[in-house]
Amino acid sequence: MNMVSFSEAHRLFLANLFRFSGRTARREFWIPYITIGFACLVLSGVLAGLPLVIFLVATIGISVRRLHDTGKSGLWMLLWFIPVVGYLALLFLLALPSQLGDNQYGLFTSANGCVCKSRNKWLLITLVGGGVIVLLVCILSIGSAVERMPEGPCAAERKYLALAEAGDAEAQCNLGYAYANADNAPLDFDKAFTWTLKAAEQGLPEAQSNLAKMYLDGTADEKDVGKAIIWFEKAADQGFADAACDLALLYVEGKVVERDYAKALVWYKRAADQGSGAGLCGLAGMYELGQGVPADISMAVKLYEQAVAKDVLVALNNLAGIYLKGVGVQRNPKRALELYKRAAQKGSVDAKANLGNMYLHGIGVGQDVNTAVKWLRDAAYGGVAASQCNLGEIYAKGLGVKQDAKEAAKWYGMAARQGNAPAQVSLAAFYMIGEGVDQDVDKAIEWCQKAAAQGFEPAIRLRQQIKNDTGR
């Protein structure tokens, strides 16, 4: 008899991990099956439901071959998806002895035949041992997943409702927030408004600010900008800096109230005096742009630096831009690079785009096209059209990378669809000559006209050239 050894069984298992044709004898099946089962038992304590998936994926190939060895189709594996009963039935089929002789799935070997002499023992071991392993994996995986689930849709009610009903303003505010944001509570704007109003009327500034936002975006009973401003002011007057910043932004943008830089300046100053990073950043922006005050880049830089010390993302990007351009301040590309890197680490796609350009052109750092492509690609996938266009140019010209017209056309296309005029012109040129895309004069004209409509001079010249060449 040719008995498969422990190590040989594992070698065969790994070598044929995803092979679904052929036959596998019981011993060759059982040894790796139980090994994988125990490994998944160990992992189930830390990886939630993942071990169950790992177990299924790792054993599906060898299980199909085991079914073939008994003379049955691998489609019987679908029993796995019938909870408990289906798997036990599948386990019984997997435990059956090898079919004597060759069958439609493969040749009969001595390794298949040797296990038939101890069929009762292997049948019992497979059913009991395999059943225990998989059931334990299921139980532990599901149990671990349940432990990682949130408390439930009414967790916020269980935590705050009693206190809120007793008049606790913070509990009322937290409960209102939970209902408004589906934070461990069902989304219910009526309840959110009711509890937030109760907390706001008790004078809790955070609730007053939240209530103002509800009136502003219409999640309250009605959209009411006047009431929103009243509640923002109540919160800001109590020293809630976020409300002061929200008020200032309303007056700067001038979308829902009349633009009033003087009022915006007052509220930003109040927030900045309280040490608010957002307040410092907003005030810096007003000095940078000369909104309500004479433009003063030195003051803007001073305020931005204070906001940067508080790790405010907008301040990181804005201050980097000032140092990069060197307008009203000594140009400092290295400082700009440092600030953009910090902003990029916080997820800013604009910072990633600027880093890509700086590495591409060697600004503040040695030129490094590979690093430039990395940053530009991150920004491009983040939706920055200029970075998509830059990537198109890099691949079109082979700047530090292998020239690839198709890759260039892909990036030009992404930028063009966002309205980027240079990309639209480049894509039009590609369609005109059939580079990276199938030649298509109609599409060339279409993209050229879109760029020309933006007043982009190269597009106007290209459109005239196309007309001269094609008469269209």
Side-chain angles (χ1 to χ4, degrees):
M1 294 185 294
N2 185 19
M3 297 284 286
V4 177
S5 67
F6 184 83
S7 59
E8 180 67 8
H10 286 96
R11 188 192 69 78
L12 290 171
F13 167 72
L14 293 173
N16 300 284
L17 189 61
F18 296 113
R19 186 168 69 85
F20 299 95
S21 61
R23 300 170 63 170
T24 295
R26 281 195 296 192
R27 179 179 174 84
E28 183 184 328
F29 166 79
W30 177 245
I31 291 174
Y33 192 83
I34 195 171
T35 301
I36 295 295
F38 277 121
C40 289
L41 277 177
V42 173
L43 292 174
S44 62
V46 293
L47 295 179
L50 185 58
L52 192 59
V53 178
I54 294 173
F55 185 84
L56 175 59
V57 172
T59 61
I60 188 170
I62 197 171
S63 297
V64 168
R65 298 198 304 275
R66 175 81 270 271
L67 288 168
H68 288 171
D69 190 49
T70 68
K72 292 175 175 54
S73 168
L75 291 176
W76 284 100
M77 279 297 294
L78 294 174
L79 287 170
W80 174 280
F81 299 102
I82 301 175
V84 185
V85 175
Y87 178 72
L88 290 176
L90 174 62
L91 204 61
F92 176 80
L93 296 178
L94 293 171
L96 292 174
S98 300
Q99 185 180 51
L100 297 176
D102 300 345
N103 65 22
Q104 60 181 311
Y105 302 108
L107 301 177
F108 178 79
T109 67
S110 59
N112 300 78
C114 68
V115 295
C116 296
K117 297 181 180 180
S118 56
R119 65 176 61 188
N120 293 332
K121 179 184 73 174
W122 278 106
L123 181 62
L124 180 63
I125 291 175
T126 305
L127 285 174
V128 176
V132 168
I133 287 174
V134 176
L135 286 176
L136 283 175
V137 170
C138 290
I139 292 169
L140 290 176
S141 296
I142 294 170
S144 183
V146 169
E147 287 179 1
R148 288 164 171 77
M149 289 176 64
E151 294 178 70
C154 296
E157 291 179 322
R158 293 197 298 270
K159 187 173 183 179
Y160 300 119
L161 186 57
L163 288 172
E165 289 176 338
D168 186 290
E170 288 191 8
Q172 292 170 343
C173 181
N174 289 333
L175 191 56
Y177 179 86
Y179 281 125
N181 296 277
D183 184 11
N184 285 330
L187 195 64
D188 190 325
F189 291 122
D190 289 336
K191 289 183 179 179
F193 175 75
T194 297
W195 287 113
T196 303
L197 178 61
K198 288 178 181 292
E201 288 176 338
Q202 289 198 64
L204 188 68
E206 184 177 355
Q208 293 171 338
S209 181
N210 289 345
L211 186 63
K213 292 174 184 176
M214 289 181 177
Y215 277 118
L216 199 60
D217 60 24
T219 54
D221 285 343
E222 56 181 336
K223 186 171 182 177
D224 191 323
V225 176
K227 288 183 178 179
I229 290 175
I230 290 172
W231 284 110
F232 271 139
E233 288 178 346
K234 286 179 181 289
D237 286 339
Q238 292 193 69
F240 194 65
D242 287 351
C245 289
D246 287 333
L247 268 173
L249 187 60
L250 288 178
Y251 287 118
V252 167
E253 292 180 338
K255 293 179 180 178
V256 295
V257 295
E258 185 177 353
R259 179 176 283 126
D260 190 328
Y261 290 138
K263 287 184 179 179
L265 195 68
V266 169
W267 290 114
Y268 271 141
K269 279 185 175 179
R270 185 178 296 190
D273 288 343
Q274 294 171 15
S276 164
L280 289 164
C281 184
L283 189 58
M286 298 193 74
Y287 275 104
E288 180 185 3
L289 301 174
Q291 296 173 332
V293 291
D296 188 337
I297 298 297
S298 296
M299 177 60 74
V301 169
K302 178 181 177 181
L303 291 167
Y304 275 137
E305 289 285 9
Q306 293 179 52
V308 162
K310 296 179 179 293
D311 216 26
V312 177
L313 180 58
V314 174
L316 287 166
N317 274 320
N318 289 358
L319 186 57
I322 289 175
Y323 281 126
L324 183 61
K325 295 173 185 175
V327 178
V329 67
Q330 185 176 357
R331 192 165 183 264
N332 191 343
K334 289 187 177 180
R335 174 66 170 152
L337 188 78
E338 173 199 338
L339 292 167
Y340 278 137
K341 283 184 176 179
R342 286 176 59 183
Q345 288 172 354
K346 294 175 72 68
S348 169
V349 291
D350 290 331
K352 292 176 182 179
N354 283 305
L355 283 170
N357 289 332
M358 293 180 78
Y359 275 102
L360 182 63
H361 300 292
I363 301 172
V365 66
Q367 188 178 36
D368 185 340
V369 176
N370 289 331
T371 301
V373 169
K374 171 188 173 297
W375 285 117
L376 289 172
R377 192 180 293 274
D378 283 351
Y381 280 123
V384 179
S387 293
Q388 294 166 349
C389 184
N390 285 340
L391 280 172
E393 183 179 4
I394 287 172
Y395 282 104
K397 297 179 179 179
L399 302 176
V401 298
K402 183 179 179 181
Q403 194 170 19
D404 189 332
K406 287 186 177 180
E407 188 73 5
K410 180 188 82 171
W411 291 113
Y412 279 143
M414 291 173 68
R417 284 187 286 275
Q418 291 199 68
N420 183 278
Q424 290 172 337
V425 171
S426 297
L427 190 61
F430 270 34
Y431 274 115
M432 190 62 195
I433 62 177
E435 184 174 358
V437 292
D438 293 334
Q439 189 174 26
D440 190 324
V441 177
D442 289 334
K443 287 186 177 180
I445 293 173
E446 176 188 347
W447 285 114
C448 202
Q449 288 177 337
K450 287 183 178 181
Q454 298 183 54
F456 193 55
E457 187 62 33
I460 297 172
R461 292 197 299 269
L462 180 60
R463 180 68 186 93
Q464 184 60 48
Q465 180 185 336
I466 294 173
K467 186 177 181 179
N468 293 339
D469 292 344
T470 66
R472 298 171 61 183

